[in-house]
Amino acid sequence: AEVLETKIVTIMYHSVLNGSKGRYIVSEKQFENDLVAFKNEGFVSVTPNEIIAFSEGRGMLPEKPVLITFDDGHYNNLYYGMPLLEKYGMRAVVNIVGAYSEYSTASGDHSNPNYSHITWWQIEETAQSGVIYYGNHSYGMHKFKPRYGIAQLAGESDSEYEKNLTEDTMRLQEKLRVLCGYEPAVYAYPFGKYSKTAVKTLVSLGIKITLTCNEGVTTVRFGVPESLINMKRINR
């Protein structure tokens, strides 16, 4: 029997900012042009829940699905990005780094699109909008040292590593569950670094979609949940 499958184009953004240039920055106008281009090409913006339903054999996807993702939880995603998503009837996943949101919340220096991250209360205010789905991008592991992202340290046993990754992941999962009313099923790997042990651990914690920085398009198969692990993304 033929397996029903669909290709999902997943786009990776970071910042939406005017007047700044960089590999991980698009301007407001560029972002709007992208959304218009997706629409014109017949792409339909999908949510993690819709993709998960398809992978579990519970629901269908449009012919040309696009998953829009933002990493790091920059406040400019809400400030510039959210109104444009609303304007074009599109949705996005914003993958939060717990430590960054904690800092913007605790320091009181927030709501500046140039450098702030989304605060805990801003997450709570926007989680039920139907526009933004909050994903996990680690609580405190978005660092180069001592470990590179969620990489296992030399000399760290598998069980120690699983415990450390679990503690970090669940710290943000539980925080987001309180703020959003759901525990994210999406995990974006810091710096795109992952391993078999990391995947196994995250899946055991209820993560159903993992996002890499590997360039490409992902073929998702109806009734095959594993096809959402290590989805490829196109860096914009």
Side-chain angles (χ1 to χ4, degrees):
E2 196 186 341
V3 177
L4 190 61
E5 53 183 42
T6 185
K7 285 188 164 47
I8 297 189
V9 176
T10 307
I11 316 288
M12 174 171 66
Y13 293 96
H14 287 76
S15 270
V16 183
L17 256 190
N18 298 316
S20 297
K21 292 265 182 289
R23 184 159 181 253
Y24 296 111
I25 301 171
V26 293
S27 69
E28 214 178 344
K29 192 74 201 132
Q30 269 175 310
F31 186 58
E32 181 161 21
N33 289 344
D34 286 0
L35 299 184
V36 170
F38 297 147
K39 270 248 189 295
N40 292 344
E41 290 291 328
F43 281 98
V44 177
S45 164
V46 291
T47 65
N49 292 338
E50 290 167 328
I51 298 171
I52 291 163
F54 180 83
S55 78
E56 292 178 351
R58 296 186 283 110
M60 298 309 291
L61 283 171
E63 210 165 301
K64 292 177 79 174
V66 61
L67 180 66
I68 298 167
T69 69
F70 287 91
D71 282 6
D72 304 340
H74 296 279
Y75 172 67
N76 57 47
N77 299 172
L78 296 184
Y79 188 78
Y80 294 118
M82 194 172 168
L84 290 170
L85 291 163
E86 284 176 323
K87 180 175 174 182
Y88 294 100
M90 295 186 149
R91 284 83 61 97
V93 178
V94 174
N95 299 306
I96 293 294
V97 177
Y100 297 176
S101 286
E102 176 61 43
Y103 179 79
S104 278
T105 305
S107 68
D109 185 9
H110 57 73
S111 306
N112 186 317
N114 295 309
Y115 58 80
S116 303
H117 288 87
I118 302 171
T119 63
W120 298 133
W121 49 268
Q122 285 162 346
I123 291 172
E124 191 169 25
E125 277 176 1
T126 50
Q128 298 303 323
S129 62
V131 180
I132 306 289
Y133 179 102
Y134 287 103
N136 193 322
H137 197 31
S138 86
Y139 196 99
M141 286 184 165
H142 200 289
K143 295 181 184 146
F144 294 108
K145 286 176 179 145
R147 65 175 90 235
Y148 181 69
I150 63 168
Q152 194 164 346
L153 292 169
E156 186 178 31
S157 70
D158 283 1
S159 64
E160 252 184 311
Y161 172 65
E162 285 165 19
K163 179 174 168 286
N164 290 329
L165 178 57
T166 296
E167 279 174 6
D168 180 86
T169 304
M170 290 313 296
R171 187 174 173 194
L172 185 54
Q173 289 295 87
E174 284 159 5
K175 185 77 181 170
L176 291 174
R177 178 168 49 89
V178 170
L179 299 173
C180 303
Y182 56 83
E183 248 180 51
V186 178
Y187 191 97
Y189 301 119
F191 317 120
K193 175 80 180 162
Y194 60 95
S195 64
K196 280 202 172 81
T197 314
V199 170
K200 195 182 77 177
T201 305
L202 292 169
V203 168
S204 77
L205 301 177
I207 297 293
K208 295 182 176 182
I209 295 175
T210 61
L211 300 171
T212 69
C213 299
N214 305 339
E215 287 273 331
V217 170
T218 306
T219 300
V220 174
R221 310 178 70 161
F222 187 76
V224 184
E226 308 79 82
S227 59
L228 303 187
I229 297 299
N230 299 343
M231 288 182 75
K232 299 183 176 88
R233 292 192 284 177
I234 296 157
N235 178 32
R236 184 68 178 86

